[in-house]
Amino acid sequence: MAMATVATAQLPVYLDDSAPIEQRVEDALSRMTLDEKIAVIHAQSKFSSPGVKRLGFPDFWTDDGPHGVRPDVLWDEWEQAGQTNDSCVAFPALTCLAATWNPVLAELYGRSLGEEARYRGKDMILGPGVNINRTPLNGRNFEYMGEDPLLASRMVVPYILGLQSTGTAACVKHFCLNNDEEYRHQVNVVVSDRALREIYLPAFEAAVKQGHAWGIMGSYNLYKNQHCCQNEYTLNQILKGDWQYDGVVVSDWGGAHDTEMAVKNGLDMEFGSWTDGLAWGASNAYDAYFMALPYKRLIQEGKFTTRELDEKVRRVLRLFFRTTMSNKRARGFLCSEAHYDAALKIAQDGIVLLQNKRNVLPIDINNAKRVLVVGENAIKMMTVGGGSSSLKAQHEILPLDGIKTRLAGTGIEVDYARGYVGDTTGNYNGVTTGQSLADNRSASSLIGEAVGKAMNADYVIVFGGLNKSDYQDAEGHDRKQMDLPYGQDALVEALARVNKNVIFVNISGNAVAMPWRDKVAAIVQGWFIGSEAGKALASVLVGDVNPSGKLPFTWPVNLNDLGAHALGSYPGTWRPDHKIIDEEYKEGIYVGYRWTDKQKKRPAFAFGHGLSYTTFAISNLRLDKSEVSADGTVTATVTVKNTGNRAGAEVIQLYVSDVSGNVDMPVKELRGFQKVTLQPGESREVSITIGGRAFQYWDEGKNNWTTSLGQRTMLVGTASDNLPLKAKFTVK
Ligand code: BGC
């Protein structure tokens, strides 16, 4: 049989899929002109950078992040592009993901988001965020994963792996020390090396070393007097030096400030100059970016060779081969049932039952006749607002609608009273909720109406908390105090006086003050949980889903229960020229429960706390050895039994207390955890293995991790304030 043959020209190495990526990078680099190299290291529009068209590299598209794929804005303006195919699934905010304590769901989250990003043609998602929750005032905590470095590390890694499995790059943010928003462009953080390494960096380190993140975003703030997007210490020495990071450092939008610093101090891709990513700088001349013509000129003048430039371009090319040039990428799909299911499951797993007196929850649907829902947050969309994480959700089920739908057909009457008026506007960056929430009644008449209706209700479910407006849970500013806004305290107090079954559902990404805590029956932490919010909340309130979320941060009674406030170091001290504000993290490593433990303070709700509708017994802690070498591991095993009559999940938490006396150590630190689901009566052995960093601290003298040899106590239980099982071991 005769066969036609086609002559195939030899593919250049950079286009050869089977060649090792580093060879492809070098080959592509060798073919690029100076202008092409300069072009790929800075933006060409609000969210994209050019590829190298001559060589077949397409444009590179980034987008926020981290809770869904942000709707498209115009090429050069912050206005909406007006697309009709950019509505997305809004996934729960990352605080809720962290509250699941379930790494499997973090992978599902990342993968689902990546599939949405692929459909939308985005090559990099600007997220996830892992800045440590140091103060509940931080306007952006809702986008982060709580206060504990181990929890955040364990949750961020699978998120990244899931996201990047679709060929979409993660851009882990904001590196680093961006722990509050007020004056975020001017804050110079002063922190001990030990706190930096033990508290603020581990989640980033895990993202790089275990998650193999392809992108990292520098933060706006300064550290050691250098902005973190152009920082010799954090970018060159730690990230690219110590951690051997091979991905790109992306500036936060407008985070670059100076050509020479950016060139020398580790920035690889400059975005959003002359804009803070939120508002101003509608139209820019991209050629004037710090790493555009000004850089090219310095090279032409001989101030720089192309050494730094080639190093940056190598990283960018590596990114291209991982994403836009990869043949293995997922196609992606948008707003699929699978993605809604993922969003729902994560929300249900992350909702935290904080308090449940007399087992008032779940709602007894067989006997209840009237349920009163109160509060603006029962009817307010939360996916619009909050800054760059704002979304155009295809749908968002509101709490009141979720409850009505769930209770339809049960014969239970659901009534609603507004209770308070908060912020009735609903738009962000050209996306409007279309809701009309205006209500001109006075506070006393709103409370009066709610109280009147509450008298005859079997249950009063108040949806309150914060929202995504400025100075609430929103980017760019912090809250001004921990108190609930809009007169909610008076409302709750009044309701609790007339009804013993008041359930407060707090919608927020942060702890709030609850002076009436003991007067209400139940408190549920409902987070910002996106598209399926109302459905998820209703399923937990009626008991279709047994809550299993655990707090990813310490919930203080008031601000002074935390080091940042007790020591007066927040928000910092302005220098005389009023250009820089120094914020010294005086509490050092004593953040969150590490602080409350040390001060022997009882928080309102402890880190790791979260109740269930069933009960669990944990017993019989066994260690596989009582002495372990510094480079060895020790495995703890416990028996967990569901002793109630509903299926449920519990998070077994393992903390270690270093009692060797070698060095100043927190009372205890989380070193491992595992979530287990058990049927009524079922029991299971749960084993958790620890080693390595779990035995170490950052030794400032040696400038390295050091094992503290000696005695340890292992503490195992179901919350940081409920650790009944203890065992001793020694690190030799
Ligand atoms: C935010 C980033 C965001 C960027 C782009 C900035 O203002 O800090 O988190 O990714 O804008 O929208």
Side-chain angles (χ1 to χ4, degrees):
M1 184 169 56
M3 285 211 326
T5 55
V6 180
T8 48
Q10 182 78 34
L11 269 185
V13 173
Y14 80 92
L15 286 178
D16 179 359
D17 233 2
S18 63
I21 199 167
E22 295 308 312
Q23 271 178 29
R24 301 178 73 190
V25 166
E26 291 308 321
D27 183 50
L29 183 70
S30 71
R31 295 168 192 267
M32 289 169 72
T33 66
L34 177 62
D35 284 331
E36 285 168 343
K37 290 178 180 178
I38 291 283
V40 297
I41 62 165
H42 68 272
Q44 62 171 359
S45 75
K46 288 291 179 220
F47 284 97
S48 74
S49 62
V52 193
K53 311 280 189 317
R54 187 178 59 86
L55 299 178
F57 292 87
D59 289 347
F60 186 82
W61 280 93
T62 72
D63 204 3
D64 288 295
H67 305 142
V69 188
R70 183 176 178 172
D72 289 343
V73 294
L74 292 172
W75 184 264
D76 216 7
E77 316 274 335
W78 285 107
E79 281 314 303
Q80 289 298 301
Q83 317 277 36
T84 51
N85 64 347
D86 60 351
S87 302
C88 65
V89 174
F91 295 91
L94 292 191
T95 33
C96 174
L97 176 64
T100 68
W101 292 56
N102 190 342
V104 174
L105 290 184
E107 195 277 340
L108 176 66
Y109 191 129
R111 187 158 35 89
S112 308
L113 177 59
E115 286 162 354
E116 298 243 325
R118 288 303 313 120
Y119 181 86
R120 293 270 313 280
K122 309 301 180 188
D123 306 306
M124 170 180 271
I125 284 291
L126 304 173
V130 284
N131 295 96
I132 290 293
N133 178 329
R134 172 176 178 257
T135 160
L137 299 189
N138 179 18
R140 273 190 112 164
N141 278 340
F142 72 99
E143 289 184 65
Y144 303 144
M145 299 200 189
E147 75 182 26
D148 185 79
L150 181 91
L151 176 63
S153 301
R154 290 280 164 86
M155 298 303 291
V156 76
V157 169
Y159 178 115
I160 296 166
L161 295 175
L163 177 63
Q164 294 190 164
S165 73
T166 67
T168 311
C171 188
V172 184
K173 62 197 192 182
H174 304 87
F175 189 68
C176 54
L177 296 167
N178 178 200
N179 305 99
D180 47 68
E181 282 290 284
E182 208 61 58
Y183 319 118
R184 63 182 178 173
H185 297 273
Q186 292 131 297
V187 172
N188 178 54
V189 173
V190 181
V191 63
S192 71
D193 285 353
R194 186 168 172 204
L196 179 71
R197 297 287 187 153
E198 291 185 21
I199 304 294
Y200 296 100
L201 293 188
F204 289 103
E205 188 176 358
V208 168
K209 292 185 177 169
Q210 296 160 42
H212 309 290
W214 298 335
I216 280 221
M217 183 187 287
S219 56
Y220 283 136
N221 54 283
L222 300 90
Y223 168 63
K224 291 199 197 246
N225 299 311
Q226 293 181 355
H227 283 98
C228 289
C229 291
Q230 39 182 60
N231 193 297
E232 163 63 19
Y233 310 96
T234 57
L235 300 180
N236 282 347
Q237 292 181 21
I238 297 178
L239 179 65
K240 295 182 174 178
D242 293 0
W243 300 348
Q244 296 285 298
Y245 174 61
D246 72 357
V248 290
V249 172
V250 174
S251 74
D252 197 347
W253 268 230
H257 296 270
D258 175 280
T259 300
E260 282 195 47
M261 296 277 282
V263 168
K264 285 192 302 198
N265 292 346
L267 182 63
D268 301 311
M269 296 178 95
E270 179 187 0
F271 279 90
S273 291
W274 305 292
T275 149
D276 62 0
L278 286 172
W280 49 289
S283 173
N284 302 315
Y286 296 95
D287 281 347
Y289 269 41
F290 296 105
M291 296 214 302
L293 287 187
Y295 183 19
K296 184 178 162 188
R297 258 180 241 121
L298 291 182
I299 292 174
Q300 287 167 332
E301 287 162 11
K303 171 93 199 176
F304 285 107
T305 65
T306 55
R307 189 174 63 86
E308 293 86 356
L309 178 62
D310 286 347
E311 176 50 25
K312 295 175 199 307
V313 175
R314 279 192 185 93
R315 290 172 183 273
V316 174
L317 288 170
R318 206 173 283 135
L319 177 69
F320 289 169
F321 288 121
R322 287 167 165 168
T323 56
T324 52
M325 296 298 281
S326 162
N327 287 335
K328 301 190 196 82
R329 292 223 279 185
R331 274 268 177 72
F333 40 91
L334 194 64
C335 296
S336 73
E337 280 176 25
H339 295 170
Y340 281 116
D341 286 349
L344 177 64
K345 177 82 183 86
I346 294 159
Q348 289 169 329
D349 233 57
I351 291 169
V352 185
L353 179 60
L354 292 173
Q355 172 172 305
N356 195 18
K357 290 189 190 168
R358 298 175 277 108
N359 291 329
V360 66
L361 286 175
I363 289 167
D364 179 358
I365 46 174
N366 295 324
N367 293 306
K369 293 196 175 53
R370 265 179 299 274
V371 168
L372 175 67
V373 175
V374 182
E376 181 167 293
N377 284 352
I379 57 167
K380 184 175 169 72
M381 281 178 68
M382 290 294 179
T383 52
V384 176
S388 56
S389 62
S390 182
L391 296 172
K392 185 165 116 190
Q394 189 198 41
H395 76 236
E396 175 176 345
I397 302 175
L398 298 168
L400 178 59
D401 294 336
I403 288 174
K404 280 187 176 161
T405 304
R406 176 59 186 85
L407 295 184
T410 59
I412 300 174
E413 179 194 315
V414 180
D415 198 2
Y416 174 73
R418 180 67 174 264
Y420 70 92
V421 176
D423 186 346
T424 58
T425 59
N427 59 65
Y428 178 78
N429 189 203
V431 176
T432 50
T433 61
Q435 295 191 289
S436 53
L437 297 176
D439 192 325
N440 295 327
R441 288 176 289 170
S442 68
S444 63
S445 77
L446 290 166
I447 293 178
E449 179 199 38
V451 166
K453 292 183 173 186
M455 286 177 179
N456 308 314
D458 298 304
Y459 297 93
V460 178
I461 311 175
V462 186
F463 286 88
L466 308 177
N467 56 34
K468 301 275 193 72
S469 309
D470 277 353
Y471 296 98
Q472 301 283 319
D473 278 333
E475 179 177 340
H477 293 290
D478 293 338
R479 288 152 76 201
K480 292 180 175 158
Q481 67 272 315
M482 207 183 136
D483 300 352
L484 281 171
Y486 318 128
Q488 292 177 68
D489 288 342
L491 169 69
V492 178
E493 298 261 5
L495 292 169
R497 275 196 289 274
V498 299
N499 192 304
K500 67 178 187 353
N501 288 343
V502 173
I503 296 149
F504 188 79
V505 183
N506 188 59
I507 305 296
S508 77
N510 263 317
V512 300
M514 294 179 169
W516 35 260
R517 185 160 44 105
D518 291 333
K519 298 179 190 161
V520 299
I523 303 175
V524 174
Q525 176 57 22
W527 311 115
F528 298 110
I529 49 179
S531 285
E532 300 287 273
K535 196 170 177 183
L537 287 160
S539 69
V540 167
L541 292 169
V542 305
D544 300 337
V545 166
N546 192 349
S548 64
K550 299 277 181 175
L551 282 180
F553 52 71
T554 302
W555 193 298
V557 176
N558 55 53
L559 286 180
N560 282 334
D561 289 347
L562 295 175
H565 297 279
L567 301 178
S569 79
Y570 171 90
T573 312
W574 287 101
R575 293 183 190 173
D577 63 5
H578 212 79
K579 289 198 175 122
I580 302 285
I581 177 167
D582 289 301
E583 185 168 6
E584 187 183 350
Y585 290 10
K586 291 184 185 154
E587 73 283 5
I589 58 172
Y590 293 99
V591 174
Y593 66 88
R594 289 166 171 82
W595 175 267
T596 49
D597 279 355
K598 185 177 160 77
Q599 302 298 319
K600 300 193 168 58
K601 292 232 177 228
R602 255 183 96 79
F605 303 106
F607 172 78
H609 168 79
L611 304 172
S612 168
Y613 297 150
T614 187
T615 48
F616 296 93
I618 69 164
S619 60
N620 196 14
L621 170 61
R622 292 143 276 163
L623 305 188
D624 67 339
K625 49 182 89 77
S626 57
E627 286 183 5
V628 53
S629 60
D631 56 358
T633 59
V634 54
T635 298
T637 304
V638 295
T639 308
V640 193
K641 182 169 187 194
N642 181 344
T643 50
N645 48 21
R646 272 172 197 266
E650 182 55 287
V651 179
I652 305 306
Q653 304 173 31
L654 185 159
Y655 296 74
V656 172
S657 177
D658 182 334
V659 286
S660 64
N662 295 329
V663 60
D664 183 26
M665 276 292 185
V667 173
K668 62 175 185 282
E669 296 182 273
L670 182 72
R671 296 305 193 188
F673 61 88
Q674 194 172 315
K675 192 164 195 170
V676 274
T677 301
L678 296 172
Q679 298 304 313
E682 186 186 354
S683 70
R684 186 143 359 129
E685 307 289 282
V686 172
S687 293
I688 300 174
T689 300
I690 62 168
R693 285 279 169 84
F695 304 151
Q696 298 177 327
Y697 66 97
W698 182 262
D699 185 331
E700 298 194 334
K702 293 189 186 147
N703 198 33
N704 208 342
W705 294 99
T706 301
T707 302
S708 139
L709 300 176
Q711 280 273 313
R712 300 285 198 286
T713 308
M714 191 177 282
L715 307 152
V716 182
T718 58
S720 67
D721 64 346
N722 179 27
L723 300 167
L725 305 182
K726 294 187 179 49
K728 292 209 181 310
F729 69 99
T730 307
V731 181
K732 290 239 158 167

